[in-house]
Amino acid sequence: MTDIPKTYDPQQAEQSHYARWEGEGYFAPEINKDPKAPVFSIVIPPPNVTGSLHMGHALQHTMMDVMTRHKRMCGYRTLWLPGMDHAGISTQLVVSRELKKEGLTRHDLGREKFVERVWQWKADSGGQITRQIRREGASVDWSRERFTMDEGLSRAAREVFVRLYEEGAIYRGTRIVNWCPTDQTVLSDLEVEKTPQRGQLYYLQYPVKDNSHRLTVATTRPETMLGDTAVAVNPDDERFRSMVGQVVLLPITGREIPVIADEYVDPEFGTGAVKVTPAHDPNDYDMGVRHNLPRVFVIDQNARMTADAGPEFAGLDRYKAREKVIEKFQELGLLEKVVDYEFAISKCERCKTVIEPLISTQWFMRMDQMRDLALDLMRKERKPRFVPESYERVYTNWLEDLRDWTISRQLWWGHQIPAWYDEAGNVYVAHSEDEARQKSGTDKLTQDPDVLDTWFSAALWPFSTLGWPDETEDLRTYYPTSVLVTARDIIFLWVSRMVMEGLKFVGRTPFHDVFVTGTVLDKHGQRMSKTKNNGIDPLEVFDKYGVDATRLALASIGAADTRWNDKQVESYRNFANKIWNAARFCMMNAEGAESVADPFAGDHANLPLHDRWILSRLNKTAGGVNAALDNYQFHEAVQTLYHFFWDDFCDWYIELTKAIVIAEEVSPERNVARARLIWVLEQSLRLLHPFMPYLTEELWQRLPVKHQELLHPAYAGATTSIMLAAYPQSELQLIDEQGESEIDRLKTLISSVRNIRSEINIKPGDRIPVLIREANTNMRAMFEANQDQIARLTRASQVSIARELDPPKASARAVISGSGEVVIPLEGLIDFAQESARLSREKEKLQTEAAKLAGQLANADFVKRAPAEKVEELRARADEIKQHITALDQMLEALK
RNA sequence: GCCCGCUUGGCUCAGUGGUAGAGCACUCGCUUCACACGCGAGGGGUCAGAAGUUCGAAUCUUCUAGCGGGCACCA
């Protein structure tokens, strides 16, 4: 077995296992043969078919895979369903950009050819994403992979559209919307981002008709004045009371427009008078509706001025028009002033173009009914449960404020709206063109050219992927899903909409829990983004440190934002190597282990201390990890495993058992010790598997154990893999507090000797005698039983244990407990002053603590009000310190 | 403007009412027969500031400051 390399090679382990797992069908829930098995299911938040996976995906996928593998090993019927989103705008943009390189636009190809081209592109890009998901080790069921534009999911989208239309919740209407002049489509409010913008506030004077007064308005968009149809003031504003009802002459155009009074106007801002452009501003639009104002359209869909803007302006870009309007006002002497001003501007989330509010005919979804379903669910059942809890309020507040959703998009890539128009313009909404023909009684129909917002189909994802609208077995079994893992930026766009649609169409919440992960930031605390080009490619990290190490680093992030640092991954890479080498040691000393049928058979009370101890630690670890995972405390699970494996198993258990394990002479004791070592290792690998699938499988397959027997009963008969082994659970009867405290004492002894050796600069190779005084009979027996281990780990020439000692003056000494001390005779080596100083330092520390405790115990209120056990605990500690100090004093005295 | 989160050793972060933790970095010593991606021994923090609740606060409450995020129609 010495053919195992000294360093773990992740690339090697990552090569073959995934294909085998997938090929054997381990990822599919059908692998579970227990008809009564509980169900655990997750649908993946479908990555956009554009772009490759980033750190955020790797983070979420790690969490989901850890949970899925954990539940699978616990015997759950487990489904993690993968898939992708067609990402309407993004994808259309990417493919359009490709076409541009060939000197073409989508219009050159025409709709059909263009969509064909996108499908081609999707095959390629989608393949890249699925390869990346495989590389992550994600145990998704590829046999159930879905894409939002699949026929099944498209059918679900049409079904929802038709039903909502028939109920009147989807309607066609004309109103002011967010228009992106670059992408040439309408956008929902959520796809618009507000960014601070430095600009100017222009004070324009409008002459009042019939007198020489001028009314000054302030605006950030002077070009829209060409479309003004009123000036508004607050009805309570004394300054303008006489103006209301008067008429002003709109400069440049010469149009006459009224002065109106409206509550919306804030007298404090600007001049207190607002120009009103109902056709090009959402607030003015509302005022226009209230006052029945005419709409003058002066900007078109390309953000250029229309003919109605006047001959001098027609065809000008909106910014050119702005300059020209200002010039004109200046010439006319009507430009009062221009001041610098910072305000929020709306931009297209995708292309960052400034949004142009336009009046347009679109499809909308009324949200009130579904919103109430979701709010009711939260109020009555507190579902879904958000982790961390604080997102519950974010979600609820947003829902309470919900407005109608603009669902149509002027794109070609997406689900075309299932609405047809006859020649008279009547609309027929149907599942298919055939149905529309029947409804209309004509076949001269034209389908609405628009497509649905990408989020329309994404909102159906938890049930459309499971076969809805059909009542499928999958839908019955896996819906509602157990948990949704997502980033916080799509709680509104996606999470809330899934809840609403799930409640509306399936009648139940789509997921019980929502785990909102933190964000991976760059090392300066900035969000990673394409524009900043500060993203870290998970694939590069995989290559450098291995997938398993990266997964551990990601799992440690949990719900809080964290700055990425390679050092962290490096330390987990080292951990992986540590596991590799511990296993290597076990396997180098495995001979004879297989002859032991059950390494821990018989009465556990008769086991050697270190064996009882490691079983206790192992069971506490299993308990801690299971509890942590059930509560989404991934970081805690990782820490628990890390310290159990490295500190308990490697640093102490292997070292304590090593002497027997590596004995040259073959003996039953040696074989048993070897079998126990391998047994504990095997259990540890299982505990680690959800986090480190590749390494653990690689090692597990090499272990000389009866693999088939280790599988969870639900997977009996499957070919063997650690991913189907039973996840260790905590067995309370194996927890041994007494044993743990004895090992603690042993560790203190060994550490004390090592400390002395180090402080007195005893060469590592020098063997020294170790004398132990121990008054407690049980402890003395424990030290005696572990004499060989003590000798080995302290590099002692001899270890003597006695009830009483008469240490030579030239000794280094340390207190182990109230009842014991360790003495190292150092004739000729010891510097009395130095030794004295060392002991005094220790005494000082203890005195500080003693003083604190004494103060607390002297406080009558504390003794009276604190729980009795707490008081007792402090008293015991105070006594111990007292004894400790007494022992130190004796030692100091002896040095004089 | 409103809401939320964060502020703990040099760095990145855990902890969340009862004696301050980890990893990395740092210091010293080590080819100790699994591992130098290692082993052993150390040093280092008035837990952002103030007030309050409590026998006791890094932990709960309020306020302040700094940073980050979300929401909002102020032209």
Side-chain angles (χ1 to χ4, degrees):
Chain A
M1 275 295 184
T2 42
D3 59 330
I4 303 171
K6 282 172 92 164
T7 307
Y8 169 55
D9 176 8
Q11 310 263 8
Q12 185 269 327
E14 286 160 24
Q15 229 155 41
S16 58
H17 297 304
Y18 195 93
R20 179 169 156 265
W21 293 331
E22 188 184 342
E24 297 278 347
Y26 294 161
F27 299 156
E30 286 75 18
I31 191 74
N32 189 311
K33 304 298 183 204
D34 175 6
K36 286 188 234 119
V39 171
F40 180 83
S41 62
I42 300 183
V43 288
I44 205 168
N48 284 358
V49 69
T50 52
S52 54
L53 299 188
H54 52 65
M55 230 11 125
H57 292 113
L59 172 71
Q60 292 173 24
H61 295 171
T62 295
M63 312 271 182
M64 286 185 265
D65 198 43
V66 166
M67 288 192 276
T68 304
R69 286 180 183 271
H70 175 234
K71 290 295 186 192
R72 190 183 290 116
M73 289 176 78
C74 288
Y76 282 64
R77 180 183 307 276
T78 309
L79 170 63
W80 181 12
L81 186 147
M84 272 175 282
D85 190 275
H86 67 280
I89 299 184
S90 304
T91 309
Q92 178 156 330
L93 279 177
V94 172
V95 177
S96 298
R97 230 172 278 143
E98 265 195 3
L99 284 176
K100 203 174 171 186
K101 286 184 205 150
E102 300 163 29
L104 296 169
T105 70
R106 65 186 161 107
H107 300 283
D108 295 328
L109 268 71
R111 183 165 189 150
E112 203 176 317
K113 281 267 183 314
F114 178 79
V115 170
E116 231 169 72
R117 176 85 187 236
V118 182
W119 275 107
Q120 264 170 33
W121 181 88
K122 181 259 170 188
D124 200 46
S125 176
Q128 213 174 314
I129 290 170
T130 56
R131 271 194 302 281
Q132 288 182 25
I133 293 177
R134 285 181 165 88
R135 179 87 197 275
E136 291 170 335
S139 59
V140 297
D141 179 8
W142 291 107
S143 72
R144 285 176 169 83
E145 185 186 355
R146 297 287 184 270
F147 180 55
T148 46
M149 294 264 286
D150 284 350
E151 178 43 35
L153 277 69
S154 301
R155 187 161 73 97
R158 285 194 299 271
E159 180 68 27
V160 165
F161 190 96
V162 172
R163 283 204 210 170
L164 290 178
Y165 177 79
E166 284 167 358
E167 289 178 16
I170 281 180
Y171 62 94
R172 202 158 173 257
T174 301
R175 61 170 64 173
I176 197 150
V177 295
N178 306 299
W179 181 264
C180 175
T182 300
D183 297 343
Q184 288 290 304
T185 181
V186 66
L187 299 172
S188 72
D189 293 343
L190 288 172
E191 292 161 297
V192 170
E193 59 182 31
K194 293 276 167 85
T195 49
Q197 172 93 2
R198 263 202 303 273
Q200 280 80 39
L201 190 58
Y202 301 87
Y203 287 73
L204 309 179
Q205 297 177 339
Y206 292 177
V208 178
K209 198 184 171 190
D210 300 334
N211 65 36
S212 59
H213 287 107
R214 288 171 179 180
L215 196 54
T216 306
V217 297
T219 180
T220 54
R221 299 198 62 192
E223 69 278 14
T224 62
M225 62 76 53
L226 298 168
D228 283 2
T229 53
V231 171
V233 298
N234 190 288
D236 298 329
D237 195 335
E238 298 292 342
R239 296 171 294 174
F240 301 112
R241 182 143 295 171
S242 63
M243 300 294 292
V244 177
Q246 296 215 35
V247 171
V248 296
L249 295 167
L250 191 62
I252 304 176
T253 68
R255 270 192 287 121
E256 295 188 357
I257 59 175
V259 177
I260 61 171
D262 194 286
E263 296 283 354
Y264 163 76
V265 181
D266 176 3
E268 305 295 315
F269 188 87
T271 60
V274 190
K275 58 188 277 311
V276 183
T277 323
H280 298 289
D281 181 279
N283 303 309
D284 294 4
Y285 176 85
D286 292 341
M287 266 195 280
V289 170
R290 285 196 289 274
H291 297 273
N292 203 19
L293 297 172
R295 296 166 188 163
V296 176
F297 298 85
V298 293
I299 302 172
D300 70 11
Q301 297 191 336
N302 297 307
R304 291 179 184 282
M305 308 311 285
T306 64
D308 286 348
E312 287 178 279
F313 294 93
L316 281 186
D317 171 82
R318 54 186 165 177
Y319 298 112
K320 281 269 181 304
R322 179 174 304 174
E323 287 169 25
K324 192 149 188 180
V325 165
I326 294 307
E327 268 172 41
K328 284 277 176 193
F329 268 78
Q330 219 153 8
E331 282 169 24
L332 295 167
L334 295 173
L335 183 64
E336 188 170 303
K337 62 178 173 179
V338 181
V339 299
D340 287 337
Y341 182 62
E342 188 164 317
F343 57 102
I345 197 158
S346 299
K347 290 186 175 174
C348 169
E349 179 189 55
R350 297 279 157 209
C351 70
K352 313 297 176 193
T353 303
V354 175
I355 290 299
E356 190 57 53
L358 286 182
I359 291 173
S360 171
T361 302
Q362 301 289 343
W363 289 91
F364 298 93
M365 192 192 289
R366 197 162 282 144
M367 304 305 295
D368 43 4
Q369 188 207 1
M370 279 193 260
R371 184 261 321 275
D372 290 344
L373 290 175
L375 284 174
D376 267 4
L377 182 73
M378 182 54 81
R379 254 192 303 269
K380 290 178 184 146
E381 297 176 45
R382 203 127 179 249
K383 283 230 166 161
R385 178 172 76 114
F386 280 87
V387 180
E389 219 171 86
S390 57
Y391 291 108
E392 181 182 316
R393 230 178 103 185
V394 176
Y395 163 87
T396 309
N397 288 350
W398 184 76
L399 281 178
E400 282 165 350
D401 233 7
L402 194 50
R403 283 183 284 167
D404 288 4
W405 173 15
T406 313
I407 53 174
S408 45
R409 294 290 180 278
Q410 286 63 55
L411 304 171
W412 287 350
W413 176 241
H415 301 101
Q416 196 168 349
I417 288 174
W420 285 263
Y421 305 97
D422 65 17
E423 288 176 314
N426 297 308
V427 62
Y428 304 95
V429 168
H431 297 84
S432 65
E433 182 152 9
D434 275 349
E435 191 185 314
R437 284 199 187 107
Q438 283 169 21
K439 282 188 174 174
S440 64
T442 170
D443 51 6
K444 288 190 175 163
L445 292 173
T446 321
Q447 187 170 4
D448 193 308
D450 289 354
V451 301
L452 292 167
D453 180 2
T454 291
W455 297 103
F456 187 95
S457 52
L460 317 178
W461 185 252
F463 50 94
S464 64
T465 52
L466 295 172
W468 189 90
D470 295 334
E471 278 274 336
T472 61
E473 184 64 32
D474 270 8
L475 188 63
R476 265 196 299 278
T477 310
Y478 303 110
Y479 189 97
T481 61
S482 308
V483 56
L484 180 84
V485 178
T486 186
R488 64 170 157 268
D489 50 356
I490 50 176
I491 290 177
F492 307 145
L493 272 170
W494 193 47
V495 179
S496 61
R497 285 170 177 168
M498 282 191 285
V499 177
M500 290 188 280
E501 306 259 11
L503 287 171
K504 168 79 185 170
F505 290 101
V506 190
R508 300 172 71 187
T509 181
F511 25 76
H512 295 290
D513 295 353
V514 178
F515 179 68
V516 184
T517 68
T519 309
V520 186
L521 307 169
D522 74 2
K523 63 180 171 190
H524 305 295
Q526 301 281 314
R527 291 180 88 89
M528 293 182 182
S529 73
K530 281 182 209 137
T531 44
K532 281 187 224 144
N533 198 26
N534 61 347
I536 291 165
D537 183 354
L539 294 178
E540 282 175 23
V541 185
F542 290 164
D543 287 343
K544 196 166 170 193
Y545 299 106
V547 171
D548 290 333
T550 312
R551 287 169 59 116
L552 278 183
L554 290 167
S556 298
I557 287 173
D561 292 0
T562 304
R563 298 172 192 216
W564 182 260
N565 68 332
D566 272 11
K567 286 286 180 193
Q568 176 92 1
V569 196
E570 197 180 309
S571 82
Y572 287 121
R573 189 269 319 260
N574 296 350
F575 180 52
N577 197 54
K578 186 76 183 177
I579 297 167
W580 178 263
N581 275 287
R584 180 166 174 262
F585 172 77
C586 296
M587 285 188 274
M588 281 165 71
N589 298 287
E591 204 181 293
E594 73 288 343
S595 68
V596 181
D598 182 357
F600 289 102
D603 188 354
H604 283 173
N606 297 328
L607 291 173
L609 174 61
H610 60 266
D611 285 332
R612 276 184 283 131
W613 172 74
I614 199 69
L615 284 180
S616 182
R617 295 296 312 139
L618 179 69
N619 278 278
K620 276 192 184 171
T621 301
V625 171
N626 278 298
L629 287 180
D630 288 340
N631 292 298
Y632 305 104
Q633 302 292 315
F634 299 98
H635 176 266
E636 196 185 325
V638 170
Q639 288 309 303
T640 304
L641 285 166
Y642 183 96
H643 290 292
F644 167 74
F645 196 88
W646 200 312
D647 302 351
D648 295 340
F649 183 66
C650 292
D651 288 351
W652 290 102
Y653 186 70
I654 289 181
E655 294 304 330
L656 286 169
T657 199
K658 193 179 255 177
I660 319 165
V661 165
I662 64 172
E664 301 262 331
E665 199 183 326
V666 179
S667 69
E669 289 73 29
R670 191 198 70 165
N671 290 348
V672 168
R674 289 183 165 193
R676 286 177 185 159
L677 186 60
I678 289 168
W679 189 90
V680 176
L681 171 69
E682 194 274 332
Q683 293 272 318
S684 307
L685 291 179
R686 284 195 233 172
L687 285 170
L688 288 160
H689 179 261
F691 298 91
M692 312 181 83
Y694 291 116
L695 169 69
T696 51
E697 179 75 311
E698 178 68 27
L699 289 173
W700 196 77
Q701 294 293 348
R702 295 182 189 220
L703 288 183
V705 293
K706 297 195 180 82
H707 295 89
Q708 186 64 42
E709 291 173 13
L710 302 174
L711 297 190
H712 189 283
Y715 311 113
T719 53
T720 57
S721 164
I722 191 173
M723 63 174 284
L724 301 181
Y727 204 73
Q729 303 294 318
S730 181
E731 293 177 50
L732 287 178
Q733 74 276 12
L734 292 178
I735 291 181
D736 180 354
E737 297 297 351
Q738 169 75 18
E740 291 202 30
S741 75
E742 287 179 11
I743 286 279
D744 282 347
R745 193 64 62 83
L746 188 64
K747 283 160 76 172
T748 306
L749 166 74
I750 292 166
S751 297
S752 302
V753 177
R754 286 168 168 175
N755 173 281
I756 290 169
R757 294 189 60 121
S758 180
E759 299 242 346
I760 308 191
N761 293 318
I762 297 169
K763 288 207 185 71
D766 288 352
R767 301 274 163 176
I768 47 153
V770 170
L771 313 179
I772 301 165
R773 177 184 70 79
E774 177 57 66
N776 180 296
T777 312
N778 288 337
M779 283 300 162
R780 205 163 54 243
M782 185 274 288
F783 287 139
E784 274 159 11
N786 289 281
Q787 215 161 330
D788 291 348
Q789 280 94 331
I790 295 168
R792 185 185 171 84
L793 297 179
T794 59
R795 319 209 95 217
S797 54
Q798 65 173 92
V799 176
S800 347
I801 300 146
R803 177 189 286 276
E804 293 298 340
L805 267 187
D806 186 17
K809 181 180 177 190
S811 299
R813 301 165 67 174
V815 178
I816 304 165
S817 69
S819 61
E821 68 168 301
V822 62
V823 175
I824 298 170
L826 290 165
E827 198 57 59
L829 282 174
I830 194 158
D831 175 330
F832 291 97
Q834 198 188 338
E835 177 67 0
S836 214
R838 189 176 69 81
L839 294 173
S840 300
R841 272 202 306 277
E842 198 186 339
K843 186 180 163 187
E844 239 171 78
K845 271 188 212 163
L846 287 169
Q847 279 175 323
T848 312
E849 195 185 336
K852 211 166 161 183
L853 286 171
Q856 225 174 329
L857 288 166
N859 182 340
D861 282 330
F862 170 73
V863 178
K864 200 168 66 190
R865 300 189 191 228
E869 55 181 29
K870 196 80 232 168
V871 179
E872 199 35 57
E873 200 182 307
L874 290 200
R875 281 211 176 106
R877 177 71 188 144
D879 284 349
E880 202 183 324
I881 291 173
K882 203 170 149 194
Q883 287 180 28
H884 204 139
I885 291 175
T886 310
L888 281 171
D889 281 339
Q890 284 169 10
M891 291 177 188
L892 285 163
E893 189 61 32
L895 285 169
K896 280 179 186 163

